[in-house]
Amino acid sequence: MDSLRKLAVWAAVAFALGVLTLFAVPSYRQGEASIAGQPAKDFRVTVAGTPEQLSALRGKVVVLNFWASWCPPCKEETPALNRLQNYIAPHNALVLGVSADEDPSAYEGFLRTEGVVYPTYRDPATHGTISPIALDYGTSTYPETFIIDRHGKIARKFVGFQQWDSPQMLAYFDSLLAQH
């Protein structure tokens, strides 16, 4: 009888931990309204040394990735983002990274160390770990990525690490890139 009670207590503890883990996973946000179909918020960005607005990229599919050099999942997904950039670039699309690094040298060091091949922009107004651009998108966790269609509307949002070059993800991008 005593071992049965211990087993029941451990089962209850395991269940409670499972529920807590489910709610702590960054890709699960209960009650968050869908933003699919909403226009992407415009902001100033420098791409390839040229200052412009995000809206100037309309006509392209944009994978807008908010990241930071101090973020382990951001570092982990960078190689897959590099491969995704190479995959989608010939189809009038690009990955655009926006960094929440306050320190320009940490940002530059990350780009060099990780061999980033897609355009990136360090939000110069970042203070601590807060990027005003990311905050304007409602981003509270890094990495967070918004897929923007050719019409400048948000097609999808991904929270947390993604395997951007998985067969399922590439199939998603193939279908999105086929749309005009």
Side-chain angles (χ1 to χ4, degrees):
M1 182 74 160
D2 200 29
S3 62
L4 189 58
R5 187 173 21 200
K6 285 182 183 178
L7 181 62
V9 167
W10 280 111
V13 168
F15 176 76
L17 286 173
V19 168
L20 286 173
T21 301
L22 177 66
F23 285 100
V25 173
S27 62
Y28 180 82
R29 291 189 183 167
Q30 184 178 9
E32 184 176 83
S34 173
I35 57 170
Q38 292 183 10
K41 295 182 181 184
D42 207 11
F43 59 90
R44 291 194 57 76
V45 62
T46 301
V47 177
T50 306
E52 55 187 58
Q53 296 288 121
L54 177 66
S55 57
L57 299 174
R58 201 158 281 148
K60 295 180 179 286
V61 170
V62 178
V63 179
L64 179 61
N65 177 257
F66 292 105
W67 64 278
S69 65
W70 43 262
C71 162
C74 300
K75 181 177 180 174
E76 186 178 352
E77 78 174 0
T78 298
L81 283 168
N82 280 336
R83 291 187 292 273
L84 179 63
Q85 170 65 21
N86 291 333
Y87 184 82
I88 65 175
H91 306 284
N92 201 25
L94 74 138
V95 174
L96 174 62
V98 176
S99 169
D101 277 290
E102 186 174 28
D103 179 7
S105 62
Y107 164 77
E108 292 294 336
F110 184 93
L111 297 179
R112 274 191 311 278
T113 303
E114 299 305 317
V116 174
V117 299
Y118 49 89
T120 62
Y121 176 72
R122 185 184 70 81
D123 183 351
T126 297
H127 181 69
T129 61
I130 309 287
S131 157
I133 296 171
L135 199 57
D136 200 32
Y137 270 78
T139 296
S140 60
T141 302
Y142 299 104
E144 189 163 284
T145 306
F146 296 82
I147 311 303
I148 303 170
D149 69 17
R150 297 185 194 284
H151 305 287
K153 296 196 177 193
I154 296 172
R156 197 159 172 195
K157 173 182 172 180
F158 293 92
V159 180
F161 168 86
Q162 303 298 316
Q163 190 58 50
W164 294 105
D165 57 347
S166 70
Q168 298 85 358
M169 197 65 82
L170 294 179
Y172 167 72
F173 281 104
D174 285 343
S175 69
L176 186 62
L177 293 167
Q179 298 172 10
H180 294 288

